[in-house]
């Protein structure tokens, strides 16, 4: 059941890219998606920096850039004073206020939200929520109202489970690709079934679902899909047949949901980022900073200084290659863990001015060892701090791969050039965006600035996702440009006949609407805020943190 005025259906295809979808639509695998594009408008949708699930969907949910919600990784707050590079625990929905669905609820609109990442722990809305990624696998309450989980049934899947090996997680050694794609297809079909049931049985004004299956397919099957780009058709192997079926089933699900929404609904199809081939080169940022004289290794603590010897061996290219061939990856990982835990970090903080902070694959940070803000800070605030940031940015823009001469860094920014808001000071002082063929690493055990990198999965994120709009309000005009993920929340509010929150960072995409409709319905803004942040809500337990950490590591999101 549903209302009949200003309904909006949002279908999220996590990680979807036109580089794959356009060939699929041309080859007839996705006729429903092709129909939406033909009847409306579409374009590449620029993501957040980094182009990453946590940052992007958080910005979608809140309508705000990462500087206002504080999320640029899955990890929680870092103890920057003590040089914590990872962060404690994981981000969750408690940190967000005035989410899109809470604004709609306050406006007395009925909402249904299914599988949007970072919606756990669940909070009340005027309607229904089924939480998404970062929901613990054994969570007892992952829906609102709680009884909805019983309607979904025990077979409902939040995320694929091929990272598990019986009762344990596997970081490497995944099952066969046939088993993986089978699990992904089952999850996608279950998601469609759940949404179709809710759409038919419940009254709603705004319905949103995120299919994370697209992200999983593009991460783990990019090499199988590349034949689309190279030859214009999928090969006829068993895996490719499964992939064909997956995209057909996904498209049929899209068509089913669009039909259930009805002809008066505005339909938006969006992705949080795009995709491309995984990086094949590793750039050692701390080695680079050491070469610039901005980072200093500590002295050896003696013959049993395992971390010192690990770095010495790592800088010998021949010996490093030999040990990598001889030692299983699990042994290599364990040796690093033991070396650091028994001998301490290799960086001499009292002599270091700048150091690497991980963000996401080809996006990384450089943090300044600021006096007064770090335990052993030596860089004075003000002129010296700004001069050092300028030096790092200038040096980064001149970096070239010593093997091929290719520029390593696409862009380098001061953090405040990318973000604005109360959380900006928690981000690294300098943000580096590398060429996507490079992954940033912080180890000092690099035999050179850049080494060959063997990815654990063939596909990785890119900046441009997808946007498709169709409906009675939408002006059918083909491809659009200059679209940003932050523009979608205000556009949704406008499409539903509501004033746009002045707290949103994006704009209403006026150009996608029929000029007659736009003239009769000018954009209005509202300064109304809704106090929805609830720090007292359930947070992750220690066992849930371990569960999520192992799952993310198994999926390749964290090391």
């Amino acid at each position: 059941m549903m209302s009949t005025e200003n309904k909006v259906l949002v279908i999220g295809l996590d990680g979807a890219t036109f580089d794959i979808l356009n060939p699929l639509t041309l080859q007839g695998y996705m006729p429903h998606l092709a129909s939406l594009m033909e009847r409306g408008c579409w374009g590449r949708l620029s993501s957040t920096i980094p182009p990453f699930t946590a940052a992007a969907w958080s910005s979608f949910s809140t309508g705000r850039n990462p500087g206002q919600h504080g999320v640029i990784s899955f990890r929680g707050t870092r103890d920057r004073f003590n040089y914590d590079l990872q962060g404690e625990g994981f981000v969750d929905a408690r940190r967000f206020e005035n989410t899109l669905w809470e604004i709609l609820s306050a406006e007395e609109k009925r909402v249904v939200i299914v599988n949007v990442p970072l919606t756990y722990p669940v909070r009340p809305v005027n309607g229904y929520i089924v939480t998404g990624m970062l929901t613990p696998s054994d969570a007892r309450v992952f829906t609102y109202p709680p009884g909805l989980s019983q309607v979904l049934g025990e077979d409902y899947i939040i995320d694929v489970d091929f990272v598990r090996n019986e009762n344990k997680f596997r970081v490497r050694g995944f099952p066969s690709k046939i088993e993986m794609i089978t699990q992904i297809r089952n999850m996608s079909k279950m998601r469609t079934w759940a949404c179709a049931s809710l759409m038919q049985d419940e009254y709603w004004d705004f319905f949103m679902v995120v299919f994370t299956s697209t992200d999983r397919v593009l991460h783990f099957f990019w090499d199988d899909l590349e034949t689309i780009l190279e030859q214009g058709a999928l090969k006829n192997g068993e895996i490719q047949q499964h992939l064909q079926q997956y995209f057909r089933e996904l498209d049929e699900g899209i068509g089913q949901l669009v039909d259930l929404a009805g002809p008066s609904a505005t339909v938006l199809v969006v992705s949080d980022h795009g995709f491309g081939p995984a990086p094949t080169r590793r750039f050692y940022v701390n080695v680079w900073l050491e070469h610039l004289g901005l980072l200093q290794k500590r002295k050896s603590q003696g013959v049993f200084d395992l971390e010192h010897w690990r770095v010495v061996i790592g800088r010998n290219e021949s010996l490093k290659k030999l040990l990598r061939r001889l030692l299983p990856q699990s042994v290599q990982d364990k040796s690093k863990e033991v070396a650091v835990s028994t001998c301490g970090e290799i960086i001499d903080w009292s002599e270091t001015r700048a150091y690497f902070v991980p963000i996401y694959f080809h996006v990384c940070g450089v943090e300044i060892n600021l006096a007064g803000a770090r335990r052993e800070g030596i860089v004075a605030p003000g002129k010296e701090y700004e001069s050092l940031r300028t030096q790092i940015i200038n040096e980064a823009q001149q970096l070239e791969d010593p093997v091929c001469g290719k520029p390593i860094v696409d862009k380098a920014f001061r953090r405040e050039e990318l973000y604005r808001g109360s959380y900006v000071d928690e981000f690294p002082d300098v943000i580096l965006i590398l060429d996507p063929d490079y992954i940033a690493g912080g180890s000092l055990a690099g035999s050179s600035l850049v080494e060959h990198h063997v990815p654990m999965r063939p596909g990785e994120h890119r900046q441009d996702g997808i946007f498709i709009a169709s409906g009675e309000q939408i002006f059918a005009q083909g491809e659009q440009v200059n679209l940003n993920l932050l523009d979608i929340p205000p556009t949704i509010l406008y499409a539903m006949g509501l004033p746009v929150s002045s707290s949103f960072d994006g704009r209403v995409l006026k150009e996608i609407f029929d000029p007659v409709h736009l003239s009769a319905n000018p954009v209005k803004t509202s300064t109304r805020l809704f106090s929805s942040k609830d720090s007292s809500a359930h947070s992750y337990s220690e066992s849930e943190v371990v569960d999520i950490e192992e799952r993310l590591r198994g999926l390749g999101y964290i090391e």
Side-chain angles (χ1 to χ4, degrees), residues 227-243:
T227 55
I228 296 176
L229 308 178
E230 296 169 357
Q231 302 173 16
L234 286 167
K235 291 181 179 178
N236 199 30
E238 185 177 8
I239 292 174
Q240 283 74 20
Q241 289 177 357
H242 273 278
L243 290 169

PDB file of all heavy atoms in Angstrom, residues 227-243:
ATOM      1  N   THR A 227      35.902  -8.578 -19.748  1.00  0.00           N
ATOM      2  CA  THR A 227      35.663  -8.959 -21.139  1.00  0.00           C
ATOM      3  C   THR A 227      34.569  -8.099 -21.764  1.00  0.00           C
ATOM      4  O   THR A 227      34.528  -7.930 -22.982  1.00  0.00           O
ATOM      5  CB  THR A 227      35.269 -10.445 -21.233  1.00  0.00           C
ATOM      6  OG1 THR A 227      34.140 -10.691 -20.379  1.00  0.00           O
ATOM      7  CG2 THR A 227      36.416 -11.330 -20.809  1.00  0.00           C
ATOM      8  N   ILE A 228      33.676  -7.544 -20.910  1.00  0.00           N
ATOM      9  CA  ILE A 228      32.653  -6.636 -21.422  1.00  0.00           C
ATOM     10  C   ILE A 228      33.326  -5.418 -22.044  1.00  0.00           C
ATOM     11  O   ILE A 228      32.927  -4.941 -23.110  1.00  0.00           O
ATOM     12  CB  ILE A 228      31.705  -6.195 -20.285  1.00  0.00           C
ATOM     13  CG1 ILE A 228      30.939  -7.406 -19.750  1.00  0.00           C
ATOM     14  CG2 ILE A 228      30.732  -5.126 -20.761  1.00  0.00           C
ATOM     15  CD1 ILE A 228      30.056  -7.074 -18.573  1.00  0.00           C
ATOM     16  N   LEU A 229      34.328  -4.906 -21.361  1.00  0.00           N
ATOM     17  CA  LEU A 229      35.023  -3.719 -21.852  1.00  0.00           C
ATOM     18  C   LEU A 229      35.912  -4.049 -23.047  1.00  0.00           C
ATOM     19  O   LEU A 229      36.053  -3.249 -23.977  1.00  0.00           O
ATOM     20  CB  LEU A 229      35.876  -3.120 -20.732  1.00  0.00           C
ATOM     21  CG  LEU A 229      35.151  -2.845 -19.404  1.00  0.00           C
ATOM     22  CD1 LEU A 229      36.152  -2.303 -18.383  1.00  0.00           C
ATOM     23  CD2 LEU A 229      34.015  -1.870 -19.591  1.00  0.00           C
ATOM     24  N   GLU A 230      36.507  -5.228 -23.041  1.00  0.00           N
ATOM     25  CA  GLU A 230      37.483  -5.581 -24.065  1.00  0.00           C
ATOM     26  C   GLU A 230      36.836  -6.124 -25.333  1.00  0.00           C
ATOM     27  O   GLU A 230      37.271  -5.824 -26.438  1.00  0.00           O
ATOM     28  CB  GLU A 230      38.459  -6.622 -23.509  1.00  0.00           C
ATOM     29  CG  GLU A 230      39.302  -6.101 -22.341  1.00  0.00           C
ATOM     30  CD  GLU A 230      40.063  -7.205 -21.649  1.00  0.00           C
ATOM     31  OE1 GLU A 230      39.885  -8.384 -22.035  1.00  0.00           O
ATOM     32  OE2 GLU A 230      40.827  -6.909 -20.718  1.00  0.00           O
ATOM     33  N   GLN A 231      35.792  -6.943 -25.173  1.00  0.00           N
ATOM     34  CA  GLN A 231      35.228  -7.644 -26.315  1.00  0.00           C
ATOM     35  C   GLN A 231      33.763  -7.291 -26.573  1.00  0.00           C
ATOM     36  O   GLN A 231      33.189  -7.720 -27.569  1.00  0.00           O
ATOM     37  CB  GLN A 231      35.341  -9.161 -26.097  1.00  0.00           C
ATOM     38  CG  GLN A 231      36.779  -9.623 -25.875  1.00  0.00           C
ATOM     39  CD  GLN A 231      36.847 -11.087 -25.492  1.00  0.00           C
ATOM     40  OE1 GLN A 231      35.888 -11.824 -25.668  1.00  0.00           O
ATOM     41  NE2 GLN A 231      37.985 -11.514 -24.964  1.00  0.00           N
ATOM     42  N   GLY A 232      33.153  -6.537 -25.649  1.00  0.00           N
ATOM     43  CA  GLY A 232      31.758  -6.158 -25.844  1.00  0.00           C
ATOM     44  C   GLY A 232      30.773  -7.245 -25.509  1.00  0.00           C
ATOM     45  O   GLY A 232      29.575  -7.116 -25.768  1.00  0.00           O
ATOM     46  N   ALA A 233      31.237  -8.344 -24.919  1.00  0.00           N
ATOM     47  CA  ALA A 233      30.326  -9.423 -24.546  1.00  0.00           C
ATOM     48  C   ALA A 233      30.971 -10.271 -23.461  1.00  0.00           C
ATOM     49  O   ALA A 233      32.187 -10.368 -23.360  1.00  0.00           O
ATOM     50  CB  ALA A 233      30.001 -10.302 -25.755  1.00  0.00           C
ATOM     51  N   LEU A 234      30.124 -10.875 -22.645  1.00  0.00           N
ATOM     52  CA  LEU A 234      30.618 -11.801 -21.634  1.00  0.00           C
ATOM     53  C   LEU A 234      31.028 -13.113 -22.299  1.00  0.00           C
ATOM     54  O   LEU A 234      30.336 -13.613 -23.198  1.00  0.00           O
ATOM     55  CB  LEU A 234      29.535 -12.073 -20.584  1.00  0.00           C
ATOM     56  CG  LEU A 234      29.248 -10.962 -19.581  1.00  0.00           C
ATOM     57  CD1 LEU A 234      27.957 -11.250 -18.835  1.00  0.00           C
ATOM     58  CD2 LEU A 234      30.383 -10.821 -18.592  1.00  0.00           C
ATOM     59  N   LYS A 235      32.142 -13.687 -21.854  1.00  0.00           N
ATOM     60  CA  LYS A 235      32.505 -15.010 -22.328  1.00  0.00           C
ATOM     61  C   LYS A 235      31.465 -16.022 -21.853  1.00  0.00           C
ATOM     62  O   LYS A 235      30.765 -15.794 -20.874  1.00  0.00           O
ATOM     63  CB  LYS A 235      33.897 -15.391 -21.816  1.00  0.00           C
ATOM     64  CG  LYS A 235      35.033 -14.581 -22.439  1.00  0.00           C
ATOM     65  CD  LYS A 235      36.379 -15.048 -21.901  1.00  0.00           C
ATOM     66  CE  LYS A 235      37.510 -14.252 -22.548  1.00  0.00           C
ATOM     67  NZ  LYS A 235      38.832 -14.665 -22.005  1.00  0.00           N
ATOM     68  N   ASN A 236      31.439 -17.150 -22.500  1.00  0.00           N
ATOM     69  CA  ASN A 236      30.385 -18.118 -22.214  1.00  0.00           C
ATOM     70  C   ASN A 236      30.858 -19.202 -21.244  1.00  0.00           C
ATOM     71  O   ASN A 236      30.497 -20.361 -21.368  1.00  0.00           O
ATOM     72  CB  ASN A 236      29.891 -18.759 -23.517  1.00  0.00           C
ATOM     73  CG  ASN A 236      28.528 -19.410 -23.329  1.00  0.00           C
ATOM     74  OD1 ASN A 236      27.737 -18.957 -22.505  1.00  0.00           O
ATOM     75  ND2 ASN A 236      28.267 -20.469 -24.087  1.00  0.00           N
ATOM     76  N   GLY A 237      31.678 -18.841 -20.253  1.00  0.00           N
ATOM     77  CA  GLY A 237      32.093 -19.796 -19.244  1.00  0.00           C
ATOM     78  C   GLY A 237      31.065 -19.917 -18.143  1.00  0.00           C
ATOM     79  O   GLY A 237      30.083 -19.159 -18.078  1.00  0.00           O
ATOM     80  N   GLU A 238      31.281 -20.851 -17.227  1.00  0.00           N
ATOM     81  CA  GLU A 238      30.308 -21.100 -16.156  1.00  0.00           C
ATOM     82  C   GLU A 238      30.148 -19.878 -15.261  1.00  0.00           C
ATOM     83  O   GLU A 238      29.033 -19.492 -14.903  1.00  0.00           O
ATOM     84  CB  GLU A 238      30.746 -22.314 -15.329  1.00  0.00           C
ATOM     85  CG  GLU A 238      29.713 -22.711 -14.274  1.00  0.00           C
ATOM     86  CD  GLU A 238      30.113 -23.951 -13.500  1.00  0.00           C
ATOM     87  OE1 GLU A 238      31.268 -24.416 -13.682  1.00  0.00           O
ATOM     88  OE2 GLU A 238      29.306 -24.441 -12.697  1.00  0.00           O
ATOM     89  N   ILE A 239      31.285 -19.253 -14.894  1.00  0.00           N
ATOM     90  CA  ILE A 239      31.204 -18.062 -14.040  1.00  0.00           C
ATOM     91  C   ILE A 239      30.481 -16.938 -14.777  1.00  0.00           C
ATOM     92  O   ILE A 239      29.631 -16.246 -14.197  1.00  0.00           O
ATOM     93  CB  ILE A 239      32.615 -17.621 -13.612  1.00  0.00           C
ATOM     94  CG1 ILE A 239      33.230 -18.658 -12.671  1.00  0.00           C
ATOM     95  CG2 ILE A 239      32.566 -16.249 -12.930  1.00  0.00           C
ATOM     96  CD1 ILE A 239      34.675 -18.390 -12.310  1.00  0.00           C
ATOM     97  N   GLN A 240      30.800 -16.754 -16.054  1.00  0.00           N
ATOM     98  CA  GLN A 240      30.154 -15.689 -16.822  1.00  0.00           C
ATOM     99  C   GLN A 240      28.658 -15.925 -16.958  1.00  0.00           C
ATOM    100  O   GLN A 240      27.866 -14.982 -16.934  1.00  0.00           O
ATOM    101  CB  GLN A 240      30.803 -15.570 -18.206  1.00  0.00           C
ATOM    102  CG  GLN A 240      32.143 -14.863 -18.217  1.00  0.00           C
ATOM    103  CD  GLN A 240      33.270 -15.718 -17.638  1.00  0.00           C
ATOM    104  OE1 GLN A 240      33.150 -16.935 -17.576  1.00  0.00           O
ATOM    105  NE2 GLN A 240      34.353 -15.086 -17.211  1.00  0.00           N
ATOM    106  N   GLN A 241      28.252 -17.188 -17.057  1.00  0.00           N
ATOM    107  CA  GLN A 241      26.823 -17.493 -17.112  1.00  0.00           C
ATOM    108  C   GLN A 241      26.141 -17.108 -15.805  1.00  0.00           C
ATOM    109  O   GLN A 241      25.028 -16.566 -15.807  1.00  0.00           O
ATOM    110  CB  GLN A 241      26.620 -18.976 -17.421  1.00  0.00           C
ATOM    111  CG  GLN A 241      26.973 -19.356 -18.851  1.00  0.00           C
ATOM    112  CD  GLN A 241      26.829 -20.848 -19.098  1.00  0.00           C
ATOM    113  OE1 GLN A 241      26.513 -21.618 -18.203  1.00  0.00           O
ATOM    114  NE2 GLN A 241      27.072 -21.265 -20.346  1.00  0.00           N
ATOM    115  N   HIS A 242      26.817 -17.382 -14.680  1.00  0.00           N
ATOM    116  CA  HIS A 242      26.284 -16.968 -13.383  1.00  0.00           C
ATOM    117  C   HIS A 242      26.173 -15.445 -13.306  1.00  0.00           C
ATOM    118  O   HIS A 242      25.192 -14.907 -12.777  1.00  0.00           O
ATOM    119  CB  HIS A 242      27.165 -17.484 -12.252  1.00  0.00           C
ATOM    120  CG  HIS A 242      26.821 -18.865 -11.792  1.00  0.00           C
ATOM    121  ND1 HIS A 242      25.798 -19.122 -10.905  1.00  0.00           N
ATOM    122  CD2 HIS A 242      27.372 -20.065 -12.098  1.00  0.00           C
ATOM    123  CE1 HIS A 242      25.719 -20.428 -10.672  1.00  0.00           C
ATOM    124  NE2 HIS A 242      26.668 -21.024 -11.384  1.00  0.00           N
ATOM    125  N   LEU A 243      27.191 -14.751 -13.831  1.00  0.00           N
ATOM    126  CA  LEU A 243      27.168 -13.292 -13.808  1.00  0.00           C
ATOM    127  C   LEU A 243      26.046 -12.745 -14.687  1.00  0.00           C
ATOM    128  O   LEU A 243      25.361 -11.780 -14.324  1.00  0.00           O
ATOM    129  CB  LEU A 243      28.513 -12.733 -14.261  1.00  0.00           C
ATOM    130  CG  LEU A 243      29.675 -12.933 -13.282  1.00  0.00           C
ATOM    131  CD1 LEU A 243      31.005 -12.581 -13.936  1.00  0.00           C
ATOM    132  CD2 LEU A 243      29.486 -12.113 -12.016  1.00  0.00           C
TER     133      LEU A 243
END
